[in-house]
Amino acid sequence: MAKYALISDIHGNYKALEAFLAYIRENPVDGVIALGDYVTDGPYPERTVKYLREISEKYTCYIIRGNREDYLLNNTDNREGWKPSSANGTLYYTLRRLTQEDMAFLASFPTEREVAIEGCPSLYICHGVPGKVRGNVHEEPGLMEKVLKELAYGCLLGGHSHHQEKAVLYGKTYINPGSLGFAVDNVGRRAQFAILTGSRNGWEAEFKSISYDVEGYLGAFAESGVDELGMTLNKAVKKSLVTGVNYFFKCIVAMDEEAKRTEVRSIAEMPEEAWNRLEERFGL
């Protein structure tokens, strides 16, 4: 038997990561599988990277990167012009906080890979879906069916949707541990992950949802200075953390619709006045 902790989508929430580390110290595992999106949406991203380094040194690990890491790695020189704003202020903050060593550490991971663990069937792991790092099986009708039908493995592990999910189709299993740092569960104040148990017969998942120091993490937004840079989307993140409702996604969708309506090329070019209206609309 093999027992692995499965995590994804920390999104800078180092307090949730601390709680997870405390859990696996008290409930030992053989290793950790991590599916990406570790940073960019909260204060002190260097703390999350530090913990991730510690995990990789202490445990047998299979780590990949997600779309948030790719955003940073594709813009190390800030040629996209990130700046203090609701659209990309927190990305700008994260880019400034992480060192070259931090970025090289994140760049060392692939976006997907096979995982072969002795005595168990091989797994395939990705952030979204194979070949599409932002593929969202929760939001895109038919994607789950297509992916599993084409999958050459018996089990696929994916993240990105922030929903704990398990599906069995075509004799194959899809498992999503949910989001460790940004759980979308309509409850809030919880950190999600999964414990995988493997044998020659396959893999089983036990979904976990644990508490963490939410108030300490919320306080760090103002203390760190990220609130002054991230503005509306920071407020959306904080409301999401305490409600379990994805106000971040609601704001992105609403602003994208407004940009199309007003024929603005992207939400990054939308004025702050438009973002401020979203604060009133969603009670941020």
Side-chain angles (χ1 to χ4, degrees):
M1 298 285 284
K3 182 181 287 189
Y4 277 74
L6 175 63
I7 61 174
S8 188
D9 295 276
I10 301 169
H11 286 269
N13 192 338
Y14 63 91
K15 287 292 187 181
L17 186 53
E18 287 176 353
F20 165 76
L21 289 171
Y23 179 91
I24 61 174
R25 282 195 296 268
E26 296 177 6
N27 303 272
V29 294
D30 298 318
V32 176
I33 300 173
L35 303 180
D37 275 15
Y38 309 113
V39 291
T40 72
D41 299 295
Y44 304 124
E46 66 274 13
R47 296 181 184 178
T48 297
V49 175
K50 176 177 178 289
Y51 284 135
L52 197 61
R53 284 183 186 275
E54 291 176 3
I55 291 171
S56 69
E57 293 167 359
K58 184 175 181 179
Y59 296 93
T60 298
C61 285
Y62 302 94
I63 302 174
I64 59 174
R65 68 180 190 266
N67 55 285
R68 308 305 281 185
E69 285 74 52
D70 279 353
Y71 292 165
L72 295 169
L73 294 170
N74 292 334
N75 193 34
T76 54
D77 56 359
N78 200 20
R79 60 182 176 275
E80 294 186 16
W82 293 344
K83 61 184 179 181
S85 66
S86 292
N88 51 42
T90 309
L91 288 167
Y92 173 70
Y93 166 86
T94 304
L95 191 64
R96 293 173 59 192
R97 296 285 301 201
L98 295 183
T99 65
Q100 289 184 347
E101 291 75 17
D102 292 334
M103 297 289 275
F105 175 68
L106 296 174
S108 70
F109 305 119
T111 54
E112 55 187 74
R113 62 166 293 184
E114 178 189 61
V115 172
I117 295 172
E118 186 176 359
C120 304
S122 294
L123 301 157
Y124 202 74
I125 66 175
C126 58
H127 180 66
V129 295
K132 188 178 179 183
V133 72
R134 295 183 67 187
N136 191 324
V137 299
H138 192 79
E139 299 289 341
E140 300 177 48
L143 183 60
M144 176 87 73
E145 291 81 359
K146 180 179 185 297
V147 166
L148 289 182
K149 186 175 184 179
E150 297 174 354
L151 187 69
Y153 296 79
C155 187
L156 175 68
L157 309 181
H160 190 57
S161 75
H162 295 216
H163 290 270
Q164 290 182 323
E165 301 176 82
K166 179 180 177 180
V168 180
L169 292 167
Y170 307 108
K172 304 163 190 175
T173 302
Y174 169 81
I175 297 169
N176 187 321
S179 173
L180 188 70
F182 196 125
V184 178
D185 59 0
N186 294 318
V187 177
R189 300 178 180 272
R190 308 291 286 176
Q192 295 179 334
F193 59 99
I195 299 297
L196 297 179
T197 303
S199 68
R200 294 189 183 280
N201 296 323
W203 291 91
E204 294 294 331
E206 181 182 2
F207 292 125
K208 298 291 184 179
S209 183
I210 62 174
S211 60
Y212 68 96
D213 182 10
V214 179
E215 297 306 321
Y217 185 58
L218 293 176
F221 275 79
E223 171 194 284
S224 66
V226 69
D227 266 347
E228 299 174 8
L229 303 178
M231 304 174 194
T232 298
L233 282 185
N234 271 22
K235 295 177 182 179
V237 167
K238 290 188 286 186
K239 186 167 183 177
S240 300
L241 294 176
V242 300
T243 64
V245 176
N246 198 343
Y247 284 95
F248 182 96
F249 184 67
K250 287 177 179 287
C251 285
I252 294 295
V253 170
M255 191 53 64
D256 186 56
E257 291 173 351
E258 179 69 6
K260 291 176 180 176
R261 186 184 68 81
T262 56
E263 298 184 345
V264 174
R265 287 185 301 176
S266 72
I267 64 173
E269 297 181 10
M270 292 297 289
E272 285 300 323
E273 291 81 1
W275 291 97
N276 292 340
R277 290 193 292 273
L278 290 186
E279 295 183 22
E280 297 178 7
R281 176 176 170 182
F282 294 121
L284 305 179

